[in-house]
Amino acid sequence: MEQYVIKGGNPLVGEVEIAGAKNAALPIISAAIMTDETVTLENLPDVNDVNVLLESISGIGAHVERIDRHTVKINGSTIRDCSVEYEYIRKIRASYYLLGALLGKYNKAEVPLPGGCNIGSRPIDQHLKGFRAIGAKVDIKNGTILASCHHMTGAHIFMDVVSVGATINIMMAASRAVGRTTIENAAKEPHVVDVANFLNSMGANIKGAGTDVIRIVGVPRFHGCTYAIVPDMIEAGTFMMAAAATKGDIVVKNVIPKHMEAVSAKLLEIGCEVEEFDDSIRVVAAKRLIRTHIKTQPYPGYPTDMQPQIAVVLALSRGTSIVTESIFENRFKYVDELTRMGANVKVEGNTAIIDGVPGFTGARISSPDLRAGAALVIAALQAEGISVVDDIGYILRGYEDFDGKLRSLGAEIEMVSSEKEIEKFKLRIG
Ligand code: UD1
């Protein structure tokens, strides 16, 4: 099992190039099989979740050709099976996007119900409600979702909760239904907009993505296209927090500053300098930062996927901060690990009360999920001495070359897979 070994204490300084957004890439890869013509996807992040999804569409017969690290050609004309293997879905929750894609194209999909997740229960009732509204029959049998219909008809759908996944899934299927669909109380995240733009590039007729009402007029078929995935706002935000935590100076490049507004505003509020350019942002933390309160919300609010990273920064900031997690129920699992590094954090229900300390000390810690894992790496980069981060498989699901990018900013971090390699790192670093 791979681990990161880290010697903390260096301020991170320099420029870092941000990859394409994983959370846009996953639905876009799924949607790419909805045409029999070839789709070329550019700026795909080379992360495990994306690679597993590419394997899973190959598994049902799609032709996948990797042109280079960030470009693939997908052709869905050879799909012979609308039934996705459990092996794939077990590894990535987002293969539920194949439900919307297969249903939209073939009027039939069989996808195993995604397993539990480390950040709490993740129901998909809103996805199923949407499919049923446009005429699909949806059953759950032996742990698999079976969706089918003779033909889909547009409908008026009001989402009970704001859900990124359900909005995208319904948008995909409804794009091929007969007539008009309206999704009210839709999610407004940049990746929802990116998927809508992609579907429109394939011939769909979707308007309003990025607002809370999305209007879709179904079309009978899609065609091939070439499309570049939007930059990853969460990867960008993670490096911005790394600058804040290590008193560094980082320019994140290839970002859309507008997508980062909630994160930038909080960094400014706690005392960072934040400079925006056309497609990059510079974050400088010259002095000790100060407390604030955070509440996670759907976009354009502060993102839940940036909650653990800012909690690490606040755990180093002067004063008492309160962080409220309002999207997922179990997203403070990293707090015990952070406490072992010297942080002073108390969790009560969905709230963390954080009393800032001047610094952390290195420890052996374990990554409980993707974003919390990245946050613990940031903590280790600030900590005095050596830390070992276990279970980094989670981090590799969503961050491309995380250790390489951090090294280029001056971090002392290595990916290792044995105690011997950890000892070697310690001897070398001294
Ligand atoms: C996506 C992101 C995830 C991010 C989350 C919120 C991907 C692959 N993952 O997850 O990184 O943290 O958006 O920005 O893009 N809910 C229901 N019923 C449903 C669907 C959702 O009750 O059918 C609830 C969830 O439990 C949660 C809230 O709605 O409380 C938001 O979830 P949702 O936006 O659907 O998250 P995901 O799409 O799974």
Side-chain angles (χ1 to χ4, degrees):
M1 280 300 237
E2 281 135 341
Q3 300 148 307
Y4 286 138
V5 55
I6 296 164
K7 177 162 184 281
N10 296 356
L12 299 193
V13 177
E15 295 182 348
V16 63
E17 192 80 30
I18 299 306
K22 166 184 86 81
N23 287 350
L26 296 171
I28 287 176
I29 290 169
S30 307
I33 63 169
M34 294 179 76
T35 167
D36 282 344
E37 296 178 18
T38 298
V39 169
T40 305
L41 297 179
E42 299 169 344
N43 203 32
L44 268 186
D46 183 12
V47 297
N48 285 357
D49 272 12
V50 161
N51 295 330
V52 170
L53 185 61
L54 288 171
E55 275 176 46
S56 95
I57 62 165
S58 283
I60 54 171
H63 183 73
V64 176
E65 185 190 350
R66 206 177 258 279
I67 306 299
D68 60 38
R69 188 174 186 190
H70 299 121
T71 311
V72 288
K73 279 185 189 292
I74 295 172
N75 186 297
S77 63
T78 44
I79 289 177
R80 43 183 193 277
D81 196 353
C82 291
S83 164
V84 180
E85 294 278 330
Y86 179 69
E87 182 56 21
Y88 295 118
I89 202 97
R90 194 175 55 80
K91 290 191 192 154
I92 47 165
R93 261 190 70 82
S95 17
Y96 57 46
Y97 286 129
L98 291 171
L99 266 175
L102 291 169
L103 190 63
K105 185 178 183 195
Y106 298 107
N107 287 355
K108 185 173 183 291
E110 291 185 8
V111 178
L113 202 55
C117 181
N118 298 30
I119 57 176
S121 133
R122 296 182 70 171
I124 56 163
D125 56 299
Q126 297 302 304
H127 303 233
L128 306 189
K129 168 180 158 168
F131 295 148
R132 287 187 178 118
I134 54 176
K137 187 168 170 293
V138 185
D139 288 318
I140 298 177
K141 225 179 190 174
N142 305 116
T144 296
I145 303 166
L146 311 171
S148 62
C149 56
H150 290 300
H151 64 273
M152 288 179 294
T153 321
H156 195 113
I157 302 165
F158 198 102
M159 311 294 295
D160 300 327
V161 293
V162 179
S163 160
V164 172
T167 302
I168 292 177
N169 234 340
I170 297 166
M171 204 164 68
M172 289 199 278
S175 290
R176 295 290 287 270
V178 176
R180 291 170 189 276
T181 295
T182 305
I183 308 175
E184 301 230 36
N185 199 23
K188 297 182 281 208
E189 269 69 1
H191 29 293
V192 174
V193 179
D194 208 40
V195 180
N197 289 341
F198 170 67
L199 290 167
N200 285 342
S201 305
M202 289 205 299
N205 181 348
I206 301 172
K207 295 202 171 88
T211 75
D212 52 14
V213 183
I214 299 180
R215 294 176 206 281
I216 303 159
V217 180
V219 296
R221 70 189 60 78
F222 287 160
H223 52 72
C225 67
T226 296
Y227 192 82
I229 311 283
V230 73
D232 194 320
M233 58 183 272
I234 306 300
E235 187 196 12
T238 301
F239 282 100
M240 289 163 74
M241 293 300 160
T246 63
K247 294 209 177 83
D249 178 348
I250 297 181
V251 179
V252 289
K253 296 173 74 178
N254 182 33
V255 296
I256 298 175
K258 172 91 188 136
H259 295 170
M260 307 307 305
E261 274 176 351
V263 170
S264 297
K266 279 295 164 191
L267 287 174
L268 275 170
E269 199 179 308
I270 63 176
C272 290
E273 289 166 43
V274 180
E275 231 181 315
E276 286 184 4
F277 305 95
D278 286 349
D279 60 357
S280 59
I281 300 184
R282 179 178 179 201
V283 176
V284 185
K287 53 183 190 302
R288 187 159 180 217
L289 303 173
I290 50 166
R291 53 158 295 284
T292 191
H293 297 330
I294 302 280
K295 184 173 182 185
T296 61
Q297 281 174 329
Y299 189 85
Y302 189 89
T304 174
D305 283 357
M306 285 300 304
Q307 180 262 101
Q309 301 89 319
I310 199 159
V312 164
V313 173
L314 295 176
L316 292 163
S317 303
R318 183 171 291 118
T320 303
S321 301
I322 296 178
V323 174
T324 307
E325 173 55 59
S326 63
I327 310 287
F328 291 112
E329 62 193 22
N330 198 3
R331 227 173 173 173
F332 286 124
K333 278 202 187 155
Y334 62 90
V335 163
D336 287 345
E337 304 298 282
L338 208 54
T339 304
R340 296 176 54 244
M341 301 177 81
N344 194 347
V345 186
K346 196 168 153 221
V347 176
E348 282 178 10
N350 68 342
T351 299
I353 302 148
I354 304 174
D355 279 318
V357 296
F360 299 142
T361 49
R364 184 140 194 165
I365 47 183
S366 168
S367 164
D369 61 68
L370 166 59
R371 305 304 171 184
L376 290 172
V377 169
I378 294 175
L381 290 168
Q382 191 284 327
E384 188 192 324
I386 305 247
S387 296
V388 176
V389 185
D390 288 318
D391 290 332
I392 64 166
Y394 289 113
I395 302 173
L396 303 178
R397 288 174 62 166
Y399 288 90
E400 178 179 309
D401 191 22
F402 196 39
D403 55 324
K405 289 184 184 183
L406 288 168
R407 267 194 304 278
S408 76
L409 296 167
E412 292 181 283
I413 175 171
E414 236 170 65
M415 184 150 57
V416 295
S417 48
S418 68
E419 292 299 320
K420 214 167 141 190
E421 285 179 88
I422 295 175
E423 288 312 313
K424 259 194 187 158
F425 175 89
K426 287 183 181 165
L427 281 175
R428 190 164 55 74
I429 296 292

